[in-house]
Amino acid sequence: MSRIATAVLGLTSLLALGVLAVLGLVVAPPDAFQGDAQRLMYVHVPAAWVAYMAFLVTSVCSGFHLASARGSLRYDRVAGASAEVGVVFIALTLALGSLWGRPVWGVWWVWDARLVTTAVLLFLYLGYLALRRVPATPQVRARRCAVAALAAFVDVPIVHFSVTWWRTLHQEGTVFNAAHDPKIGGVMALTLLVGVVAFVLVYLYLLERRYRVAVLEDRLEGLATLAALAERRESGASDGEALDAELGSGARR
Amino acid sequence: MVWLLADALSGNLVYFRTVSEAVAEREAATATEDTGRFRLAGAVVAGSVVPVPGGVRFDVTDGKARASVLHRGDPPELFKDGVPVVCEGSWEGSRFVSDRIMIKHGADYVPPSVPGPSS
Amino acid sequence: MARSGPSAGTPLASAQPGPAQPGPAQLRSPGDVAQVLVRQPPLPLGTLRGAWLIAAKDLRIEARSRSGFHQVLPFGGIVLVLFALALDPDRGLLARVSPGLFWLAVLLSSLLAVSRSVALEAGQATRDALRLSGLSGASIFLGKVGAASVALLALTLVLGTGAVLLYDVNVRGFAVLAAASLPAVVGLAAAGIFYGALCSGVRSRETLLPILLLPAVTPVLLGATRAFESAVAGVPGEAWSWVELLVAFAIAYLAGGAAAFGALLEDA
């Protein structure tokens, strides 16, 4: 992605966040039951949805990487970048949810199915990120990470359906629920939509930036290897001279 | 295998019991058995909220059965008539004694019908 | 390594047709040496027979070194003791939460057991020998899972007895305990070997394996604990859906691991 395009993406996402802030904090009405605390929904829900999307991108790219015979690392880099951004968003989801839960539910945290599976999701992908930092050849590391990503993604549908499958304190889906009947309308629905758009833009921007960093990291690793090889060759050459000198003096004796 | 999963998952992570279930359980339990600590879910019956020293007394219902609850401590901010709640505690005789109330709000978002601060 | 038709001259040639054994003059890599030592021509063995061979190998090594007995078991035991110390044994709390504590101890000990199982293949020659043996990734995986399951089952029995004694638990519903323990242990072993393969050949395996394995086995912890709680409380009927969950988990990781293991073995 060109520099200009990235900058435009960044500015647009900033703008969208600004619009969201105005809509969410000022324009949208407070909820009849929950009051102003409900405004956290406009950031908590988009963060969760974008996290699911990020992990989906990771899985799809991991699948493509495993399926491709060429061994190109591009899919792997996208998968890793997307997972990192996804971890940020899922952590944000948990934090915002906790902030929302305290005034409304009355507690910071409960161990119901939705929250537990979401926490497990966070840890699954933290493990994936740890695996990415393992010192190994890029091909080996990419393959292992791809397998781990696919295993970890199994939790995403479990998190989404947890409120339908089990009894939870967390409410059922407002937009995506079993009755396929969105329970939100008007300005509030519009604000939620703006929130989703804004967060998707932020995700794309962060993804692009992180991908670029990954490309630079790989390039740096390659350069470091070349430098080490060159250094070894030099020291090997000077060792050889010293050895020749010794042997030469030994032969003279 | 999907069937296995679906069957296994469906009844089991019971985060709370409805009033009917809890009452049935209590009545089925023998004198020596203890139903233990659990969470009771229901809606606060309008007009049943009575502050008592150190807590509040109220009734919950799930539309079918009704139970009386004694809560020790202050209830959360949004607690009032008609609100769906989840109370954590245990049966003491025919009364549920709870030490924690959580408000279980629904998934719908509605602007206040009257302009002004929502109560 | 050149492979011609069956060469009857080499003393190691098998009766069945297949790629020839390398003769002494053709030993060029540790894999060649390993193959000669193993005295196993590269036969396409059936998956189960291959798994049995691998499981027997792992268990034989374990029986000779007894590291599980000397290290993993005492670790589990000390974890049980530490839980009791942390939770104030005099307040009657221990017996009620004993299923959870027991399975936590098993889970943490399984990290050691799995790490040990993965370390058995750590040598380059061993990995080459495995790849050259003609065994499929699935059979190697299932074999290792089988051996690890046996070890974990033994661990469960000993730690379980310990927990019952230390935490003063009244045990009823043995059928449920057995029905829950078996799929739980197999699931743990399968997930453990799967994630262990992802960490193999890595110096930081001891710290990497827990962060990968522990989040993934939360269903086992949940299912096994709840099933055990039902058994201890004397209402075993509720436990059966948890047993189903454990079985589903075990099947999922057995299938996934068997499918992926071949590809994972190819690396490093």
Side-chain angles (χ1 to χ4, degrees):
Chain A
M1 225 175 151
S2 76
R3 283 251 170 89
I4 300 183
T6 311
V8 167
L9 180 58
L11 283 173
T12 321
S13 47
L14 219 55
L15 195 64
L17 283 177
V19 171
L20 174 66
V22 168
L23 274 179
L25 289 172
V26 179
V27 176
D31 183 63
F33 175 56
Q34 298 178 42
D36 284 309
Q38 175 268 331
R39 295 178 193 277
L40 276 165
M41 186 263 283
Y42 301 126
V43 279
H44 168 78
V45 173
W49 289 352
V50 168
Y52 295 166
M53 189 181 83
F55 294 143
L56 179 65
V57 167
T58 299
S59 303
V60 166
C61 289
S62 296
F64 279 147
H65 175 84
L66 287 174
S68 85
R70 248 180 323 119
S72 138
L73 290 175
R74 186 173 299 170
Y75 284 127
D76 173 63
R77 280 190 214 118
V78 176
S82 187
E84 222 170 273
V85 180
V87 163
V88 170
F89 275 105
I90 202 73
L92 194 62
T93 306
L94 286 171
L96 291 172
S98 190
L99 282 176
W100 185 11
R102 184 68 181 105
V104 176
W105 291 337
V107 288
W108 292 105
W109 182 266
V110 286
W111 295 99
D112 76 358
R114 169 54 72 87
L115 275 71
V116 166
T117 47
T118 310
V120 169
L121 185 64
L122 173 64
F123 283 108
L124 282 171
Y125 279 96
L126 281 177
Y128 172 86
L129 292 183
L131 195 58
R132 283 201 79 78
R133 278 171 175 58
V134 148
T137 62
Q139 280 75 19
V140 167
R141 192 177 57 211
R143 176 125 42 141
R144 291 184 181 184
C145 288
V147 172
L150 289 171
F153 188 73
V154 173
D155 194 24
V156 172
I158 298 179
V159 172
H160 179 70
F161 287 110
S162 59
V163 285
T164 332
W165 288 348
W166 293 289
R167 285 187 193 169
T168 57
L169 182 67
H170 191 288
Q171 68 276 24
E172 292 174 16
T174 301
V175 176
F176 300 115
N177 51 36
H180 301 293
D181 166 36
K183 297 188 189 151
I184 186 173
V187 180
M188 296 170 122
L190 176 69
T191 313
L192 182 59
L193 186 61
V194 169
V196 173
V197 169
F199 272 54
V200 168
L201 288 173
V202 172
Y203 161 75
L204 289 172
Y205 177 71
L206 290 175
L207 181 67
E208 203 282 335
R209 298 271 84 194
R210 184 61 184 85
Y211 178 79
R212 195 130 311 278
V213 170
V215 168
L216 291 175
E217 274 175 356
D218 285 350
R219 207 177 291 172
L220 186 65
E221 209 179 302
L223 286 176
T225 314
L226 285 175
L229 279 174
E231 191 191 308
R232 192 72 195 92
R233 237 175 261 131
E234 270 179 35
S235 74
S238 59
D239 280 348
E241 283 169 17
L243 196 57
D244 280 345
E246 268 186 49
L247 288 175
S249 62
R252 253 177 266 131
R253 266 193 241 122
Chain B
M1 203 201 84
V2 179
W3 173 86
L4 261 182
L5 258 179
D7 189 45
L9 297 180
S10 64
N12 232 299
L13 262 177
V14 178
Y15 188 69
F16 51 75
R17 284 167 238 242
T18 63
V19 179
S20 317
E21 289 168 355
V23 170
E25 230 182 33
R26 180 193 74 202
E27 282 165 7
T30 65
T32 49
E33 256 174 35
D34 171 24
T35 51
R37 194 179 160 81
F38 64 93
R39 294 179 199 92
L40 177 68
V44 177
V45 176
S48 68
V49 181
V50 175
V52 296
V56 62
R57 214 166 14 100
F58 56 94
D59 286 355
V60 288
T61 177
D62 61 348
K64 288 170 256 175
R66 185 168 166 147
S68 127
V69 179
L70 169 65
H71 173 74
R72 298 208 175 101
D74 288 327
E77 268 174 47
L78 293 181
F79 180 82
K80 61 179 198 258
D81 282 348
V83 157
V85 291
V86 175
C87 309
E88 234 180 78
S90 54
W91 287 115
E92 268 174 38
S94 64
R95 161 167 293 163
F96 189 83
V97 178
S98 104
D99 50 31
R100 188 201 275 216
I101 301 183
M102 293 174 281
I103 310 286
K104 180 170 165 48
H105 68 92
D108 44 339
Y109 298 98
V110 192
S113 47
V114 203
S118 56
S119 50
Chain C
M1 191 176 73
R3 284 194 188 187
S4 49
S7 45
T10 17
L12 298 168
S14 69
Q16 297 185 0
Q21 284 286 332
Q26 289 166 300
L27 294 176
R28 263 182 231 127
S29 75
D32 293 348
V33 178
Q35 201 180 339
V36 167
L37 291 174
V38 160
R39 289 182 178 275
Q40 181 81 303
L43 288 171
L45 289 174
T47 308
L48 283 181
R49 175 112 181 89
W52 179 258
L53 279 174
I54 295 289
K57 160 187 83 77
D58 276 8
L59 288 173
R60 211 174 296 138
I61 297 178
E62 175 57 38
R64 279 181 211 151
S65 68
R66 277 194 281 268
S67 78
F69 187 68
H70 289 301
Q71 292 169 14
V72 179
L73 212 49
F75 176 77
I78 191 70
V79 166
L80 285 182
V81 171
L82 287 178
F83 279 143
L85 294 178
L87 292 178
D88 186 0
D90 292 329
R91 280 213 282 162
L93 174 66
L94 277 184
R96 241 182 37 216
V97 297
S98 56
L101 299 179
F102 165 70
W103 279 106
L104 272 177
V106 170
L107 211 63
L108 295 174
S109 311
S110 74
L111 289 172
L112 294 186
V114 163
S115 206
R116 166 108 188 115
S117 171
V118 169
L120 286 177
E121 321 300 342
Q124 190 58 32
T126 328
R127 267 205 288 274
D128 285 343
L130 270 184
R131 269 179 268 172
L132 292 167
S133 65
L135 293 173
S136 66
S139 48
I140 301 177
F141 174 74
L142 291 175
K144 292 198 78 67
V145 170
S149 303
V150 170
L152 284 180
L153 210 53
L155 178 75
T156 313
L157 279 169
V158 176
L159 283 187
T161 319
V164 166
L165 296 172
L166 289 174
Y167 298 162
D168 192 23
V169 184
N170 211 348
V171 181
R172 294 169 268 183
F174 280 100
V176 170
L177 293 185
S181 302
L182 193 57
V185 157
V186 172
L188 263 184
I193 301 293
F194 175 75
Y195 286 106
L198 291 180
C199 305
S200 73
V202 169
R203 253 169 313 169
S204 54
R205 182 178 61 237
E206 284 75 34
T207 34
L208 189 57
L209 182 63
I211 183 72
L212 283 180
L213 182 60
L214 290 179
V217 295
T218 42
V220 176
L221 183 62
L222 262 178
T225 311
R226 298 292 173 267
F228 268 45
E229 275 171 10
S230 303
V232 166
V235 281
E238 291 176 5
W240 293 107
S241 52
W242 289 116
V243 173
E244 280 174 17
L245 172 65
L246 292 171
V247 171
F249 182 91
I251 294 179
Y253 266 99
L254 281 174
F261 211 72
L264 291 177
L265 258 191
E266 292 287 314
D267 316 319

